[in-house]
């Protein structure tokens, strides 16, 4: 069965650089969520999209932006990277917004050096 | 944590024993879900319980929900070494329509 695909799996960037993370949801899932998980931390909700519109916003820094495209894939753009941005970034998708279990991707491990 | 606390933060048991993990949350909810995460891996959905449900079973998993106490428990029966992972509860509803996670319980099952 198709799963949530995230790319790249690993990314190393220097401080002040820009990174773009991509997420391809399960077909026919119209909602995408982004989470950030620091080492030993619980996942922190960043932002979500429903039908290509921003649905909800969590603890996403102003340096980050995201969008969902017409094919429902989503991209998380991170600028002026800081050391503290090093984390696992997960994307999840679900049908109908909420009330269903989310399917998570394997995550992108971002390391800022 | 964005939503609540999980109790205990770490749990170590012997294979075959039962493991009980608790989760408390702060706001009213529509649904509560439990997820499992192996170290550095993605989260895997285990079970969803709706706010009007009190108990749900799935295989060796049993989840209870007490909305009056804003708490839930996850029971894993006859644990196996492969159950070693972190377990998170997550809720949606209240001020947000998106799922927010609790701090997680690190379960270690010794063979």
């Amino acid at each position: 069965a198709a799963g949530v695909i995230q790319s790249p799996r690993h990314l190393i960037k220097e401080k002040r650089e820009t990174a773009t993370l991509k997420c391809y949801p399960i077909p026919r899932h119209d909602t995408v969520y982004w989470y950030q998980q620091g080492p030993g931390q619980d996942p922190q909700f960043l932002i979500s999209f429903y039908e290509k519109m921003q649905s909800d916003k969590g603890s996403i820094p102003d340096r980050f932006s995201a969008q969902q495209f017409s094919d429902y894939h989503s991209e998380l753009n991170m600028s002026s990277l800081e050391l503290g941005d090093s984390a696992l970034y997960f994307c999840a998708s679900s049908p109908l917004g909420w009330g269903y279990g989310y399917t998570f991707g394997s995550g992108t491990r971002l390391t800022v050096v | 944590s964005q939503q609540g606390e999980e109790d205990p933060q770490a749990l170590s048991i012997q294979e075959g024993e039962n493991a009980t993990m608790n989760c408390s949350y702060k706001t009213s909810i529509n649904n509560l879900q439990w997820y499992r995460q192996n170290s550095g891996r993605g989260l895997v959905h285990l079970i969803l319980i709706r706010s009007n449900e009190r108990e749900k079973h799935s295989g060796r998993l049993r989840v209870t929900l007490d909305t009056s106490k804003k708490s839930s428990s996850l029971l894993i029966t006859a644990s196996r070494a492969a159950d070693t992972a972190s377990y998170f509860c997550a809720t949606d509803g209240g001020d947000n329509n998106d799922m927010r996670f609790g701090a997680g319980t690190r379960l270690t099952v010794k063979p």
Side-chain angles (χ1 to χ4, degrees), chain B residues 66-85:
Chain B
D66 187 336
T67 52
S68 67
K69 295 180 180 177
K70 291 187 168 56
S71 68
S72 174
S73 68
L74 171 67
L75 168 67
I76 303 176
T77 60
S79 64
R80 305 166 183 166
D83 294 329
T84 295

Side-chain angles (χ1 to χ4, degrees), chain B residues 56-69:
Chain B
K56 207 161 183 179
H57 297 255
S58 177
R60 293 185 295 114
L61 305 180
R62 173 176 168 256
V63 168
T64 62
L65 178 64
D66 187 336
T67 52
S68 67
K69 295 180 180 177

Side-chain angles (χ1 to χ4, degrees), chain A residues 12-58:
Chain A
I12 299 175
K13 290 285 186 178
E14 295 189 354
K15 283 195 304 184
R16 291 179 289 278
E17 283 193 319
T18 298
T20 297
L21 279 53
K22 296 185 179 182
C23 169
Y24 296 86
I26 289 176
R28 291 183 295 281
H29 281 194
D30 48 20
T31 310
V32 167
Y33 313 83
W34 285 97
Y35 289 84
Q36 177 193 57
Q37 187 177 30
Q41 305 294 311
D42 54 294
Q44 296 287 315
F45 170 70
L46 293 177
I47 196 167
S48 63
F49 293 89
Y50 171 65
E51 280 293 343
K52 293 156 278 184
M53 300 287 290
Q54 183 180 306
S55 172
D56 200 2
K57 205 169 182 180

